[in-house]
Structure formats: C-alpha cells, structure tokens
Amino acid sequence: GDPHVTGDVGRMLIDRGIYTNPILYPAVPRKDARIRMSMTARHNKEHLDKTLNAFEDISKHLSIKKKR
C-alpha cells in the first residue's frame, strides 16, 4: 500500500537478484502501491524459496505486518 515502502521493497528485492516491478501512482491509487512479479515455467522450487525467503527477511527488516 505505502508507495515509499513499496519502492524500498522493490529495490531490496532487486539487490537480492529478484526482478520486480513496483507499481506506484499514477498507475494505481497512492494507497494501492504493489509489487508485480512474473513466474515462468523456467522458475524452479529454489527460485521460489529464494523469493519467499527474501520477502520474509525484508518484511521483518522493514517491520511490515502480514495481512491475513
């Protein structure tokens, strides 16, 4: 949601070798910023694990609460 946090997360993922595309205003409303990613048949379980672990580490580092 927060465009500043979304930009930070996008940069931190790219720094870890995970390509992302932060979607920010004006493409979405200011409160609806998000990270766009794409999966292909060439991605494997290790790629997915690396990405999920990176999200977990970054969310802890930035104190991002999970939405349920």
Side-chain angles (χ1 to χ4, degrees):
D2 182 298
H4 300 289
V5 173
T6 302
D8 291 343
V9 171
R11 280 186 293 281
M12 293 171 89
L13 288 166
I14 288 173
D15 289 345
R16 291 171 180 239
I18 301 166
Y19 178 76
T20 65
N21 186 12
I23 309 300
L24 306 169
Y25 177 84
V28 296
R30 292 185 201 281
K31 63 179 178 49
D32 291 336
R34 63 195 73 181
I35 299 288
R36 178 179 291 152
M37 303 175 75
S38 297
M39 244 174 85
T40 70
R42 296 204 50 146
H43 288 106
N44 57 40
K45 184 177 182 325
E46 290 77 25
H47 293 120
L48 299 177
D49 287 341
K50 175 182 175 180
T51 301
L52 292 173
N53 289 332
F55 269 110
E56 185 73 26
D57 293 344
I58 291 167
S59 67
K60 286 179 185 174
H61 178 75
L62 296 176
S63 301
I64 299 171
K65 294 180 181 167
K66 292 182 183 180
K67 292 183 180 180
R68 300 239 177 215

